[in-house]
Amino acid sequence: MELLTTNNVWMMICTALVFFMHLGFAFLEIGLTRQKNTINILFKNIFIITVGLLLYALVGFNLMYPTWGANSAGYLGDFIFGISAPLKDGALDLAYNEGYTYWTDFLFQGMFAATAATIVSGAVAERMKIVPFMIFAILYVGFVYPIAGSWKWGGGFLDQLETPFYDFAGSTLVHSVGGWAALVAVCLLGARIGKFKNGKIQAIPGHNIPIATAGVLILWLGWFGFNGGSVLSADPALTSLTLVTTCLAAAAGGVIAALVSTIMYKNLDLTMFLNGILGGLVAITAGADQMSPMDAILIGAIAGAIIVFAVTLIDKLKLDDPVGAIAVHLVCGIWGTLAVGIFGNLAGGAQFVSQLIGIVCYAAFCISTSFIIIYTLKKTMGIRVSEREELEGLDMHEHGMDAYPDFRLNEH
């Protein structure tokens, strides 16, 4: 009972840390975009976490974690409406899990669910209509993410491979699932007005880099819960190792991204430094519990270099991603997933192949589902705001208010 209490308290602390990450995402997104769209971005972030939790309670949790024996095919979870804790003699059955209770499990997993849509929010910032985005978020968080998650974390077919696909805390299951949807959305939506002129890339600076920096530091702190909680217990050896590998990968990612971008562009770019930290965090997430500290530094360092080249490539492809979400969450998510087969305790040819299989399966599912949802919305109700709304700002047109009424700038 004492061990259960200790584990349960640790899991609840990690749940709070993952919840805190949503403030980090909000700060990062508003900091790297223009002030005239601040309320719009904040509204989307608040919508995602509130509606995401409700949807996860109503359908998502059961879809993702089917009851024992009910998901023999391993492709789709249980469609059971609502959540109901197992009881024993009228009280909560503490034998549900040796590490934590049913309610703690639901809340911890629910905090992850909304993250996928938050990733998309940053990529489509400043030009997507809010109602189509809300519809997309409902469908993606409520159904797509839980079904995808069930394939591995719910004991589905990827977990049943001869060499099981491995994704400790979600480099693919969370970050790439959001990243694939972000890529599809950006392609269907188009670039912001003024981003590409006469074939040349034009920088559109964010309005508050200090807030963006705070957001990254909050996300780094939240990753203590994201990865540390994914141990699913307070095991001292494994938890402490996981936190060390997480931090070292983040630090290496930031330093290498800053170094590579400085060599390439001859300027000390803080935003690239920040995205390098996030890239390192995303990359280590797939195998944080399986890596040595040196493995983590190498994985994070490679992620940091990848960030610089990925951001450059995305710009050259005329894809407009205001916060670098595709480079951070999709590209580094793929790298981190593959790294499990290259570094650490699971490294080997069979594991690398299983990692590739998992990446391809999630890519096919997420690209197809997100395309169907967003393309349908585009053809039926439209997904892009008008030119006037984009130039004058979504805050006034979609919300009728200004985030900074006393300091408004004419941002056209």
Side-chain angles (χ1 to χ4, degrees):
M1 187 65 178
E2 184 178 345
L3 178 60
L4 173 63
T5 300
T6 301
N7 288 338
N8 200 58
V9 168
W10 168 244
M11 291 297 295
M12 288 190 287
I13 291 170
C14 289
T15 298
L17 287 170
V18 179
F19 174 81
F20 194 46
M21 291 177 74
H22 288 276
L23 177 63
F25 278 118
F27 274 12
L28 178 64
E29 289 178 38
I30 64 173
L32 293 180
T33 54
R34 291 166 290 184
Q35 71 174 51
K36 63 186 178 183
N37 300 308
T38 299
I39 289 174
N40 183 260
I41 290 168
L42 293 176
F43 190 97
K44 288 190 296 183
N45 278 267
I46 296 299
F47 176 84
I48 288 167
I49 184 63
T50 52
V51 174
L53 275 172
L54 292 173
L55 286 167
Y56 203 66
L58 294 175
V59 294
F61 190 55
N62 288 322
L63 272 176
M64 193 162 175
Y65 296 98
T67 53
W68 295 110
N71 189 23
S72 57
Y75 296 96
L76 185 65
D78 298 338
F79 192 82
I80 301 173
F81 192 76
I83 53 173
S84 179
L87 302 177
K88 184 177 182 180
D89 299 326
L92 184 66
D93 185 4
L94 297 180
Y96 164 78
N97 188 294
E98 64 182 15
Y100 44 89
T101 71
Y102 174 90
W103 295 124
T104 300
D105 188 21
F106 159 72
L107 202 56
F108 180 70
Q109 302 300 340
M111 293 303 162
F112 278 63
T115 303
T118 302
I119 292 166
V120 182
S121 170
V124 302
E126 303 199 290
R127 77 269 200 206
M128 186 171 185
K129 292 180 180 179
I130 194 164
V131 172
F133 176 82
M134 292 162 70
I135 294 171
F136 163 79
I138 288 170
L139 295 173
Y140 212 70
V141 174
F143 300 97
V144 176
Y145 169 77
I147 292 170
S150 73
W151 295 353
K152 168 59 186 177
W153 290 345
F157 74 97
L158 288 176
D159 197 48
Q160 297 170 21
L161 295 175
E162 184 175 349
T163 301
F165 172 73
Y166 195 82
D167 192 357
F168 172 64
S171 286
T172 286
L173 271 73
V174 177
H175 297 283
S176 287
V177 165
W180 287 118
L183 178 61
V184 170
V186 166
C187 290
L188 290 175
L189 195 58
R192 291 169 293 173
I193 296 170
K195 176 63 179 178
F196 302 106
K197 288 184 178 180
N198 301 320
K200 294 184 178 179
I201 302 164
Q202 306 295 318
I204 302 179
H207 85 281
N208 199 325
I209 301 304
I211 286 289
T213 304
V216 170
L217 292 174
I218 288 171
L219 285 167
W220 190 345
L221 173 62
W223 239 282
F224 279 72
F226 202 88
N227 286 359
S230 293
V231 175
L232 304 181
S233 78
D235 178 85
L238 196 53
T239 300
S240 56
L241 174 64
T242 298
L243 297 186
V244 167
T245 57
T246 298
C247 281
L248 289 176
V255 168
I256 296 302
L259 182 62
V260 172
S261 65
T262 300
I263 293 171
M264 289 178 63
Y265 302 111
K266 306 298 186 293
N267 69 313
L268 297 168
D269 188 340
L270 176 59
T271 61
M272 201 67 81
F273 205 158
L274 296 176
N275 272 335
I277 292 171
L278 296 178
L281 288 166
V282 170
I284 196 61
T285 292
D289 63 327
Q290 299 295 326
M291 303 299 170
S292 72
M294 290 307 299
D295 291 332
I297 291 172
L298 286 171
I299 291 169
I302 294 170
I306 286 173
I307 281 290
V308 181
F309 294 109
V311 168
T312 302
L313 175 62
I314 290 165
D315 280 341
K316 286 183 177 179
L317 293 173
K318 300 292 190 295
L319 299 175
D320 184 12
D321 180 0
V323 301
I326 296 169
V328 169
H329 298 282
L330 176 56
V331 180
C332 287
I334 291 171
W335 157 239
T337 303
L338 292 174
V340 172
I342 303 171
F343 300 98
N345 299 331
L346 300 178
Q351 187 66 57
F352 187 81
V353 171
S354 291
Q355 300 304 100
L356 274 175
I357 292 171
I359 289 168
V360 171
C361 288
Y362 281 109
F365 181 62
C366 294
I367 290 171
S368 59
T369 52
S370 58
F371 179 83
I372 290 169
I373 295 169
I374 299 170
Y375 187 76
T376 301
L377 291 169
K378 182 176 182 178
K379 290 302 180 181
T380 54
M381 61 191 307
I383 59 175
R384 179 91 186 221
V385 299
S386 69
E387 182 176 343
R388 180 185 174 188
E389 289 172 328
E390 184 174 345
L391 291 174
E392 295 180 358
L394 304 186
D395 288 359
M396 293 305 298
H397 282 277
E398 292 202 319
H399 305 277
M401 60 181 70
D402 197 321
Y404 309 97
D406 297 327
F407 302 97
R408 182 166 176 81
L409 298 177
N410 186 24
E411 293 181 314
H412 291 181

